[in-house]
Amino acid sequence: MPSAERRLQPRRKPRQVRAELTRERILTAAAHVFAEYGYAAGTTNRIAERARVSIGSLYQYFPNKDAILAELAVRHIDRGMWTQADRLDLSPGSLEAMVRALVRDAVDNHRDDPQLLRIMMEAAPLSQELLDTIDRHGRKRVAQVRDLLARHPDVRVRDLGTAAELIVFTVETNTHKLMADPRAVPVEIFEGELVDMVTRYLRGDR
Amino acid sequence: MPSAERRLQPRRKPRQVRAELTRERILTAAAHVFAEYGYAAGTTNRIAERARVSIGSLYQYFPNKDAILAELAVRHIDRGMWTQADRLDLSPGSLEAMVRALVRDAVDNHRDDPQLLRIMMEAAPLSQELLDTIDRHGRKRVAQVRDLLARHPDVRVRDLGTAAELIVFTVETNTHKLMADPRAVPVEIFEGELVDMVTRYLRGDR
DNA sequence: CATTATTCTGAGCAATGACTCAGCTCTTCG
DNA sequence: CGAAGAGCTGAGTCATTGCTCAGAATAATG
């Protein structure tokens, strides 16, 4: 009975340890393959090959290619939120220190999977569901930073919401560029300049 | 698939007006199709269809799909450089005014093709040559801004090259986001904040 | 060990997409 | 006009990719 239901949910639930391992191997391989080839050229066959699993097995745990990316995205987001909340909330101090923590956080968060955001943007026009997931995450993060700014006495900007949005995006994309490119400018220096820029902005000097 | 050396140069040089028009139609169509479907799903057949030209004609002017994007990218960047040089060089004045001009410029420049950067990122892993082309032009732009900064007396940063790179990228990506999203924050406000951030950074206040 | 449930395999199918080519139409120019 | 070359056409080729399925291999159970 060929059912028409297609979602991002897994097709089969693993019941043996062996199966769980296979699932993980597939996800790990997918992360590498997507990072290397992009989404379109990161074929399911390549993923299966890298995971040393047959394509048949792959399709026992994921109903389609999108579902693999979706799972990757969700995991990435969850992990990011966790470490962020963990570190920033409990670090008072100078404004510059706070900003630096923010930047460091972005760096750490993308170190393990530096290409994921690019991949998700690539796949976005193909899957509205995926797009929504990403957007939801973004809003949460901005809100979190907004609260952080609200609590710091040295922050002097016109509107906290706008400021939060601006710096979250700026820090995120610059970090991405930093990690993706093997650049002439050393990482530490660029990071320092980024911190300076954001800090001066938030402090509102004239 | 990307094994042998592939060129981005046009295959045939148009000698009649008719041919030149065809070429333009193809490029315009490509811009729309890529923006709507992304690079991978933006097929050459779709482009030809939209341009109301046969695929055969398309391949008379472009040796392959990458070349179309490359041409689009080069034009985009060149146009940016031109208007930039035109407007900025002859506008002395406060640092803030200069930065504002820079931002306005980016906004104008992306109004007609807000998705191009995303598309280029998507296509990048597929073609090293394309990546190089973009990078080369990007460097030119950074160099231009660097010179601009060098000439302004109020600019006080550690390293002009790093600063130029940082602000070019920051202004560019923020503009992109601004234009792509229908956002809650109005354009003018966001623009103002962006100008403030960059200005304060360049002025180097403490 | 036999039986059943779970997991895994990979050749192959259907669809799609980049690109070609043989021949047509249109422009130019003597 | 008419020949030659520039420009255009689109059915078709070849390669690739997402995904299926019939059955083999492995593990759990009686």
Side-chain angles (χ1 to χ4, degrees):
Chain A
M1 42 181 133
S3 142
E5 274 193 29
R6 287 201 154 192
R7 321 203 80 230
L8 298 180
Q9 298 309 312
R11 176 165 293 185
R12 162 182 296 216
K13 204 175 172 185
R15 284 160 203 283
Q16 299 178 7
V17 206
R18 172 171 66 139
E20 193 53 57
L21 287 177
T22 302
R23 233 187 93 91
E24 291 309 311
R25 287 233 305 288
I26 293 170
L27 283 170
T28 308
H32 284 125
V33 170
F34 284 152
E36 183 170 1
Y37 296 92
Y39 186 69
T43 72
T44 50
N45 284 294
R46 257 200 265 259
I47 294 171
E49 189 186 11
R50 176 147 197 160
R52 286 187 221 183
V53 155
S54 74
I55 348 108
S57 289
L58 187 153
Y59 279 98
Q60 266 181 333
Y61 298 106
F62 302 93
N64 53 58
K65 196 180 165 183
D66 285 350
I68 303 178
L69 219 209
E71 170 94 28
L72 243 29
V74 167
R75 286 189 178 200
H76 178 81
I77 291 167
D78 286 350
R79 196 177 10 169
M81 300 268 289
W82 200 87
T83 61
Q84 185 179 322
D86 194 34
R87 196 194 300 184
L88 293 179
D89 265 358
L90 305 174
S91 78
S94 73
L95 185 57
E96 180 169 336
M98 190 181 89
V99 172
R100 175 151 269 130
L102 214 62
V103 172
R104 283 274 159 75
D105 201 54
V107 172
D108 286 355
N109 210 13
H110 292 84
R111 202 186 294 282
D112 50 348
D113 216 342
Q115 305 283 7
L116 196 58
L117 192 122
R118 205 201 69 213
I119 306 297
M120 293 195 297
M121 285 180 67
E122 177 182 344
L126 306 174
S127 167
Q128 184 59 37
E129 201 173 346
L130 196 55
L131 200 72
D132 291 346
T133 305
I134 298 166
D135 197 52
R136 221 175 306 127
H137 159 240
R139 279 187 214 293
K140 267 194 204 167
R141 188 153 196 199
V142 169
Q144 211 171 19
V145 171
R146 208 198 82 99
D147 288 353
L148 211 61
L149 299 183
R151 263 185 252 118
H152 200 111
D154 292 354
V155 171
R156 233 172 286 132
V157 288
R158 293 189 195 86
D159 179 66
L160 285 175
T162 309
E165 213 160 323
L166 177 62
I167 72 172
V168 164
F169 182 77
T170 299
V171 168
E172 189 132 307
T173 51
N174 269 292
T175 302
H176 262 287
K177 197 199 176 186
L178 199 56
M179 311 290 290
D181 271 3
R183 43 185 43 285
V185 180
V187 180
E188 318 81 43
I189 293 187
F190 204 86
E191 185 189 298
E193 296 298 299
L194 182 57
V195 169
D196 277 0
M197 181 169 76
V198 173
T199 306
R200 287 174 199 162
Y201 166 63
L202 291 175
R203 193 179 284 131
D205 293 333
R206 286 284 130 177
Chain B
M1 195 196 290
S3 53
E5 270 199 24
R6 295 184 156 197
R7 330 199 75 229
L8 298 181
Q9 297 312 311
R11 173 166 298 186
R12 161 181 298 216
K13 201 176 174 186
R15 285 158 202 281
Q16 300 177 6
V17 204
R18 173 171 65 139
E20 195 53 58
L21 286 178
T22 303
R23 231 186 96 92
E24 290 309 312
R25 288 234 302 289
I26 294 169
L27 283 171
T28 309
H32 284 125
V33 170
F34 285 152
E36 183 170 0
Y37 296 93
Y39 185 69
T43 71
T44 50
N45 285 293
R46 255 200 266 260
I47 293 171
E49 188 185 11
R50 176 147 198 160
R52 289 189 217 182
V53 153
S54 75
I55 347 110
S57 289
L58 188 152
Y59 278 98
Q60 265 181 334
Y61 298 106
F62 301 94
N64 53 59
K65 195 180 165 183
D66 286 350
I68 304 178
L69 219 208
E71 171 93 27
L72 243 30
V74 168
R75 287 191 175 201
H76 178 82
I77 294 168
D78 282 350
R79 195 176 11 168
M81 300 248 294
W82 173 239
T83 62
Q84 186 179 317
D86 196 34
R87 197 190 303 182
L88 294 178
D89 264 358
L90 305 173
S91 78
S94 74
L95 184 58
E96 180 169 336
M98 189 181 91
V99 172
R100 174 152 270 129
L102 214 63
V103 172
R104 282 274 160 75
D105 203 54
V107 171
D108 288 353
N109 208 16
H110 291 84
R111 205 185 294 281
D112 51 348
D113 216 344
Q115 303 282 6
L116 196 60
L117 191 119
R118 205 202 71 214
I119 306 297
M120 293 196 298
M121 284 181 68
E122 177 181 339
L126 304 176
S127 167
Q128 183 58 39
E129 202 172 346
L130 183 59
L131 201 71
D132 291 344
T133 303
I134 297 167
D135 199 51
R136 219 175 309 126
H137 281 74
R139 275 187 217 292
K140 270 194 203 165
R141 187 157 197 195
V142 169
Q144 207 172 22
V145 170
R146 207 198 81 101
D147 288 353
L148 209 63
L149 298 184
R151 262 183 254 121
H152 200 110
D154 291 355
V155 171
R156 231 173 286 129
V157 288
R158 292 189 195 86
D159 179 67
L160 283 175
T162 309
E165 210 160 327
L166 176 63
I167 73 172
V168 165
F169 183 77
T170 299
V171 168
E172 187 131 308
T173 50
N174 269 293
T175 303
H176 264 288
K177 192 191 182 193
L178 197 56
M179 311 292 292
D181 270 4
R183 45 183 44 282
V185 180
V187 180
E188 317 81 42
I189 293 187
F190 203 85
E191 185 189 296
E193 296 298 297
L194 182 56
V195 169
D196 277 0
M197 182 169 77
V198 173
T199 307
R200 287 174 200 161
Y201 165 63
L202 291 175
R203 192 177 283 129
D205 295 333
R206 285 285 129 177

